[in-house]
Amino acid sequence: MKINRFVENPLITPDDVKPYHQGFEVIGAFNAGVAFYKGETLLLLRVAERPISETPNIIKVPLLKNGELTLLEIERDDPRYDFSDPRIIHEVGSEADFIYLTSLSYIRIARSRDGHRFTIDESPFLYPFNEFQNFGIEDARCTQIGDENYYINFTSVSEMGIIESLVKTTDFESFEDMGNIFLPDNKDILIFPEKINNRYYALSRPVSSSLDRKDIWISKSSDLKAWGEHRHLLNTSKDDWDNGRVGGGLVPIRTEKGWLEIYHGATKNNVYCMGALLLDLDDPTKVLAKSKAPLMMPEMPYEKEGFFGEVVFACGGIVNGDKLTLYYGVADRSMAACELSISEILSQLESELE
Ligand code: MAN
């Protein structure tokens, strides 16, 4: 697979983003959803900010309560907590993955005329606005339906769990809240860009903690708010690049061969790669083909090293004829981009079927 990475990579790093909160530092500008609006490429960046701690032994945890930002101080040598994963704070002896996140994320827009040089908005576009978002909002995806309506779904995190929420915008300045669309824990929702047989479809990635499964499911809806008829779509593999988890990446792309879904897979050791999936045009609950080998894996230094290394994670792209420009988060830190040929992806999927 030919992957033309942009020479400017990484395109956006935390150094390019001014902190929104006083006394905080930006540690991530990554995992952006993508939209094309009025001749501009918009990146809906996940900006992660962390309170600066003057005392190295104290870690400050940002939390929202009734819309107010509070900082919880925890001593690094407190034996009740495990700080080994930089993204989270784990409570020793607990079955839960985490008790707190180490940063607060929100969504901020970067805008570009040429798709290469971006200007970042001064303030957030989506900042946590309800109690389901007390730990932050992450990893937006944007589906354009019709000429004017852009639906943005994102992960809302709080002490109640990880859920997905939906808003609608027509101008990328204001939005209409459409509520929470999937129960906890669920993330990586990808809404298809058109109705199929009069129903909307969405991919999702629920977590079954009892069976330790992190697979892709597919659901249907009549109004984008109430989702049902859930079906299992894709397993993790036994011992391959996607044996730890799989989850949708880009809004599915209509091609003559089927719906092309560029998704992520990670190993149990958290190496995140991107792969391709082909779904039936008329019935996307049917998988026609799946990448055996990843399309793309962490190779460049900015993909291998960062806040959380060995991660390429795309949440959006722009299709122009056969060219797919993929905007992808690298190492939970920055944004990069590359170009791929859609027909090449499709022929690789076909050749792997034989
Ligand atoms: C995982 C990681 C983090 C994220 C939490 C909550 O631990 O993806 O980056 O903040 O889940 O979604």
Short mmCIF file of all heavy atoms in Angstrom, two decimals, residues 30-31 46 85 87-88 97-98 100-103 105 135-139 155-158 161-163 186-187 205 245 272 307-308 313 332, ligand 1:
data_model
loop_
_atom_site.label_atom_id
_atom_site.label_comp_id
_atom_site.label_asym_id
_atom_site.label_seq_id
_atom_site.Cartn_x
_atom_site.Cartn_y
_atom_site.Cartn_z
N PHE A 30 -5.13 16.10 18.98
CA PHE A 30 -5.08 14.82 18.25
C PHE A 30 -6.47 14.28 17.97
O PHE A 30 -7.48 14.93 18.29
CB PHE A 30 -4.22 13.82 19.04
CG PHE A 30 -4.72 13.46 20.43
CD1 PHE A 30 -5.05 12.15 20.74
CD2 PHE A 30 -4.83 14.41 21.42
CE1 PHE A 30 -5.49 11.80 22.02
CE2 PHE A 30 -5.28 14.08 22.69
CZ PHE A 30 -5.62 12.76 22.99
N ASN A 31 -6.53 13.11 17.34
CA ASN A 31 -7.78 12.35 17.06
C ASN A 31 -8.92 13.25 16.59
O ASN A 31 -10.02 13.21 17.16
CB ASN A 31 -8.20 11.56 18.31
CG ASN A 31 -7.17 10.51 18.70
OD1 ASN A 31 -6.10 10.42 18.08
ND2 ASN A 31 -7.46 9.71 19.70
N ARG A 46 -9.30 17.02 19.21
CA ARG A 46 -9.41 16.75 20.65
C ARG A 46 -8.22 17.44 21.30
O ARG A 46 -7.07 17.05 21.09
CB ARG A 46 -9.35 15.24 20.91
CG ARG A 46 -9.18 14.90 22.38
CD ARG A 46 -9.18 13.41 22.58
NE ARG A 46 -8.83 13.03 23.93
CZ ARG A 46 -8.64 11.77 24.32
NH1 ARG A 46 -8.76 10.80 23.45
NH2 ARG A 46 -8.31 11.50 25.57
N ASP A 85 0.06 4.30 33.56
CA ASP A 85 -0.46 4.71 32.25
C ASP A 85 -0.64 6.23 32.29
O ASP A 85 -1.41 6.73 33.12
CB ASP A 85 -1.80 4.01 31.99
CG ASP A 85 -2.38 4.29 30.62
OD1 ASP A 85 -2.17 5.41 30.09
OD2 ASP A 85 -3.05 3.40 30.07
N ARG A 87 -2.25 8.29 30.72
CA ARG A 87 -3.57 8.84 30.36
C ARG A 87 -4.55 8.82 31.51
O ARG A 87 -5.52 9.57 31.53
CB ARG A 87 -4.18 8.01 29.21
CG ARG A 87 -3.29 7.92 28.00
CD ARG A 87 -3.83 6.91 27.00
NE ARG A 87 -3.90 5.57 27.57
CZ ARG A 87 -4.38 4.50 26.93
NH1 ARG A 87 -4.85 4.64 25.70
NH2 ARG A 87 -4.40 3.32 27.50
N ILE A 88 -4.28 7.90 32.47
CA ILE A 88 -5.30 7.62 33.49
C ILE A 88 -4.68 7.43 34.87
O ILE A 88 -3.49 7.20 35.01
CB ILE A 88 -6.08 6.33 33.13
CG1 ILE A 88 -5.11 5.15 32.98
CG2 ILE A 88 -6.92 6.49 31.89
CD1 ILE A 88 -5.77 3.84 32.61
N ASP A 97 -10.94 0.22 34.95
CA ASP A 97 -9.75 0.66 34.22
C ASP A 97 -9.14 1.90 34.85
O ASP A 97 -7.94 2.04 34.95
CB ASP A 97 -10.10 1.01 32.77
CG ASP A 97 -10.17 -0.23 31.90
OD1 ASP A 97 -9.80 -1.30 32.39
OD2 ASP A 97 -10.61 -0.11 30.75
N PHE A 98 -10.02 2.83 35.22
CA PHE A 98 -9.51 4.07 35.80
C PHE A 98 -10.51 4.66 36.78
O PHE A 98 -11.69 4.36 36.73
CB PHE A 98 -9.14 5.10 34.72
CG PHE A 98 -10.28 5.54 33.84
CD1 PHE A 98 -11.19 6.50 34.24
CD2 PHE A 98 -10.44 4.98 32.57
CE1 PHE A 98 -12.23 6.92 33.41
CE2 PHE A 98 -11.48 5.40 31.73
CZ PHE A 98 -12.37 6.36 32.15
N TYR A 100 -9.74 8.24 37.53
CA TYR A 100 -9.66 9.60 36.99
C TYR A 100 -8.86 9.60 35.70
O TYR A 100 -8.06 8.71 35.46
CB TYR A 100 -8.94 10.54 37.97
CG TYR A 100 -9.58 10.64 39.32
CD1 TYR A 100 -8.87 10.25 40.46
CD2 TYR A 100 -10.88 11.11 39.46
CE1 TYR A 100 -9.45 10.33 41.72
CE2 TYR A 100 -11.46 11.18 40.72
CZ TYR A 100 -10.75 10.79 41.84
OH TYR A 100 -11.33 10.87 43.07
N LEU A 101 -9.05 10.66 34.89
CA LEU A 101 -8.18 10.90 33.73
C LEU A 101 -7.17 11.96 34.15
O LEU A 101 -7.47 12.80 35.01
CB LEU A 101 -9.00 11.40 32.53
CG LEU A 101 -10.10 10.47 32.02
CD1 LEU A 101 -10.85 11.12 30.85
CD2 LEU A 101 -9.53 9.12 31.59
N THR A 102 -5.99 11.95 33.53
CA THR A 102 -4.96 12.91 33.94
C THR A 102 -5.11 14.26 33.23
O THR A 102 -4.40 15.22 33.54
CB THR A 102 -3.55 12.35 33.65
OG1 THR A 102 -3.52 11.94 32.28
CG2 THR A 102 -3.24 11.17 34.54
N SER A 103 -5.99 14.31 32.20
CA SER A 103 -6.19 15.58 31.49
C SER A 103 -7.67 15.75 31.19
O SER A 103 -8.44 14.79 31.28
CB SER A 103 -5.39 15.59 30.18
OG SER A 103 -5.82 14.54 29.34
N SER A 105 -10.24 16.83 28.17
CA SER A 105 -10.30 17.06 26.72
C SER A 105 -11.58 17.80 26.33
O SER A 105 -12.62 17.64 26.98
CB SER A 105 -10.28 15.73 25.96
OG SER A 105 -9.06 15.06 26.10
N PHE A 135 -15.49 14.46 33.01
CA PHE A 135 -14.06 14.14 32.80
C PHE A 135 -13.59 14.60 31.42
O PHE A 135 -12.42 14.43 31.09
CB PHE A 135 -13.81 12.63 32.91
CG PHE A 135 -13.94 12.04 34.30
CD1 PHE A 135 -14.38 12.78 35.40
CD2 PHE A 135 -13.61 10.70 34.51
CE1 PHE A 135 -14.49 12.22 36.66
CE2 PHE A 135 -13.71 10.13 35.77
CZ PHE A 135 -14.16 10.89 36.85
N GLY A 136 -14.52 15.10 30.59
CA GLY A 136 -14.12 15.63 29.28
C GLY A 136 -14.85 15.00 28.11
O GLY A 136 -15.66 14.07 28.28
N ILE A 137 -14.61 15.56 26.92
CA ILE A 137 -15.18 15.00 25.69
C ILE A 137 -14.06 14.75 24.68
O ILE A 137 -13.11 15.53 24.59
CB ILE A 137 -16.33 15.87 25.12
CG1 ILE A 137 -15.90 17.29 24.87
CG2 ILE A 137 -17.51 15.86 26.05
CD1 ILE A 137 -17.03 18.19 24.38
N GLU A 138 -14.17 13.66 23.95
CA GLU A 138 -13.03 13.15 23.17
C GLU A 138 -13.46 12.64 21.79
O GLU A 138 -14.59 12.22 21.61
CB GLU A 138 -12.42 11.94 23.92
CG GLU A 138 -12.14 12.19 25.38
CD GLU A 138 -11.74 10.92 26.14
OE1 GLU A 138 -12.01 9.81 25.65
OE2 GLU A 138 -11.15 11.05 27.21
N ASP A 139 -12.49 12.61 20.88
CA ASP A 139 -12.55 11.84 19.63
C ASP A 139 -13.85 12.04 18.83
O ASP A 139 -14.65 11.11 18.66
CB ASP A 139 -12.35 10.34 19.93
CG ASP A 139 -11.01 10.07 20.59
OD1 ASP A 139 -10.21 11.01 20.76
OD2 ASP A 139 -10.76 8.91 20.95
N THR A 155 -17.14 11.15 22.34
CA THR A 155 -17.17 10.37 23.56
C THR A 155 -17.31 11.31 24.76
O THR A 155 -16.53 12.26 24.89
CB THR A 155 -15.87 9.56 23.69
OG1 THR A 155 -15.67 8.85 22.46
CG2 THR A 155 -15.93 8.57 24.82
N SER A 156 -18.30 11.06 25.60
CA SER A 156 -18.46 11.82 26.84
C SER A 156 -18.00 10.93 27.99
O SER A 156 -18.46 9.79 28.11
CB SER A 156 -19.94 12.17 27.07
OG SER A 156 -20.41 13.02 26.06
N VAL A 157 -17.11 11.46 28.81
CA VAL A 157 -16.56 10.65 29.91
C VAL A 157 -16.89 11.30 31.25
O VAL A 157 -16.76 12.53 31.41
CB VAL A 157 -15.02 10.49 29.78
CG1 VAL A 157 -14.51 9.40 30.73
CG2 VAL A 157 -14.60 10.18 28.36
N SER A 158 -17.31 10.49 32.19
CA SER A 158 -17.59 10.98 33.55
C SER A 158 -17.48 9.80 34.51
O SER A 158 -17.23 8.67 34.08
CB SER A 158 -19.00 11.57 33.64
OG SER A 158 -19.94 10.51 33.62
N GLY A 161 -19.34 6.68 33.48
CA GLY A 161 -18.92 5.78 32.40
C GLY A 161 -18.60 6.52 31.12
O GLY A 161 -18.56 7.76 31.08
N ILE A 162 -18.37 5.75 30.07
CA ILE A 162 -17.97 6.28 28.77
C ILE A 162 -19.14 6.09 27.81
O ILE A 162 -19.54 4.95 27.54
CB ILE A 162 -16.72 5.51 28.26
CG1 ILE A 162 -15.54 5.69 29.23
CG2 ILE A 162 -16.36 5.95 26.86
CD1 ILE A 162 -14.33 4.82 28.90
N ILE A 163 -19.70 7.20 27.33
CA ILE A 163 -20.87 7.09 26.45
C ILE A 163 -20.65 7.93 25.20
O ILE A 163 -19.65 8.65 25.10
CB ILE A 163 -22.16 7.58 27.15
CG1 ILE A 163 -22.00 9.05 27.60
CG2 ILE A 163 -22.53 6.70 28.32
CD1 ILE A 163 -23.27 9.65 28.12
N ASN A 186 -19.32 2.72 25.60
CA ASN A 186 -19.34 2.63 24.15
C ASN A 186 -18.62 3.84 23.58
O ASN A 186 -18.70 4.93 24.14
CB ASN A 186 -20.80 2.59 23.64
CG ASN A 186 -20.91 1.84 22.32
OD1 ASN A 186 -20.00 1.89 21.50
ND2 ASN A 186 -22.03 1.18 22.10
N LYS A 187 -17.87 3.63 22.51
CA LYS A 187 -17.22 4.75 21.81
C LYS A 187 -17.03 4.39 20.35
O LYS A 187 -17.52 3.37 19.89
CB LYS A 187 -15.91 5.18 22.49
CG LYS A 187 -14.95 4.08 22.91
CD LYS A 187 -13.55 4.61 23.25
CE LYS A 187 -13.39 5.23 24.60
NZ LYS A 187 -11.95 5.47 24.93
N ARG A 205 -18.61 0.65 19.23
CA ARG A 205 -17.67 -0.26 19.87
C ARG A 205 -17.96 -0.36 21.37
O ARG A 205 -17.34 0.29 22.20
CB ARG A 205 -16.24 0.24 19.64
CG ARG A 205 -15.19 -0.88 19.54
CD ARG A 205 -14.95 -1.62 20.85
NE ARG A 205 -14.50 -0.72 21.88
CZ ARG A 205 -13.29 -0.18 21.93
NH1 ARG A 205 -12.37 -0.49 21.06
NH2 ARG A 205 -12.99 0.68 22.89
N ARG A 245 -8.31 -4.92 20.46
CA ARG A 245 -9.55 -4.18 20.28
C ARG A 245 -9.69 -3.76 18.82
O ARG A 245 -8.68 -3.63 18.13
CB ARG A 245 -9.60 -2.94 21.18
CG ARG A 245 -8.50 -1.94 20.85
CD ARG A 245 -8.48 -0.78 21.81
NE ARG A 245 -8.09 -1.20 23.13
CZ ARG A 245 -8.43 -0.56 24.25
NH1 ARG A 245 -9.17 0.51 24.19
NH2 ARG A 245 -8.02 -1.00 25.43
N TYR A 272 -1.47 0.75 18.03
CA TYR A 272 -2.67 1.06 17.25
C TYR A 272 -2.33 1.21 15.78
O TYR A 272 -1.50 2.05 15.41
CB TYR A 272 -3.30 2.37 17.73
CG TYR A 272 -4.15 2.23 18.97
CD1 TYR A 272 -3.57 2.11 20.23
CD2 TYR A 272 -5.54 2.24 18.88
CE1 TYR A 272 -4.36 1.99 21.37
CE2 TYR A 272 -6.34 2.13 20.02
CZ TYR A 272 -5.74 2.01 21.25
OH TYR A 272 -6.52 1.90 22.38
N PHE A 307 2.86 11.25 23.75
CA PHE A 307 2.27 11.12 25.08
C PHE A 307 1.97 9.65 25.37
O PHE A 307 2.21 9.13 26.44
CB PHE A 307 0.98 11.95 25.14
CG PHE A 307 0.32 11.94 26.47
CD1 PHE A 307 0.94 12.49 27.58
CD2 PHE A 307 -0.93 11.36 26.63
CE1 PHE A 307 0.34 12.46 28.83
CE2 PHE A 307 -1.54 11.33 27.88
CZ PHE A 307 -0.90 11.87 28.97
N PHE A 308 1.43 8.97 24.33
CA PHE A 308 1.18 7.52 24.43
C PHE A 308 1.60 6.96 23.07
O PHE A 308 0.89 7.12 22.07
CB PHE A 308 -0.32 7.29 24.72
CG PHE A 308 -0.63 5.88 25.13
CD1 PHE A 308 -0.38 5.43 26.42
CD2 PHE A 308 -1.16 4.98 24.20
CE1 PHE A 308 -0.67 4.13 26.79
CE2 PHE A 308 -1.45 3.68 24.58
CZ PHE A 308 -1.21 3.25 25.87
N PHE A 313 -4.21 6.84 14.65
CA PHE A 313 -5.63 6.74 14.99
C PHE A 313 -6.40 7.79 14.20
O PHE A 313 -6.39 8.97 14.54
CB PHE A 313 -5.78 6.97 16.50
CG PHE A 313 -7.13 6.62 17.07
CD1 PHE A 313 -7.35 5.38 17.66
CD2 PHE A 313 -8.18 7.53 17.04
CE1 PHE A 313 -8.59 5.06 18.21
CE2 PHE A 313 -9.42 7.21 17.58
CZ PHE A 313 -9.62 5.97 18.18
N ASP A 332 -1.19 9.89 20.61
CA ASP A 332 -2.05 10.65 21.54
C ASP A 332 -1.48 12.04 21.81
O ASP A 332 -1.63 12.58 22.92
CB ASP A 332 -2.24 9.89 22.86
CG ASP A 332 -3.34 8.83 22.76
OD1 ASP A 332 -3.74 8.50 21.62
OD2 ASP A 332 -3.78 8.32 23.81
C1 MAN B 1 -8.87 5.29 27.45
C2 MAN B 1 -8.00 6.17 26.59
C3 MAN B 1 -7.99 7.60 27.12
C4 MAN B 1 -9.41 8.09 27.31
C5 MAN B 1 -10.21 7.12 28.18
C6 MAN B 1 -11.68 7.54 28.29
O1 MAN B 1 -8.28 5.10 28.69
O2 MAN B 1 -8.50 6.16 25.27
O3 MAN B 1 -7.32 8.47 26.22
O4 MAN B 1 -9.38 9.36 27.92
O5 MAN B 1 -10.17 5.83 27.60
O6 MAN B 1 -12.32 7.55 27.05
#
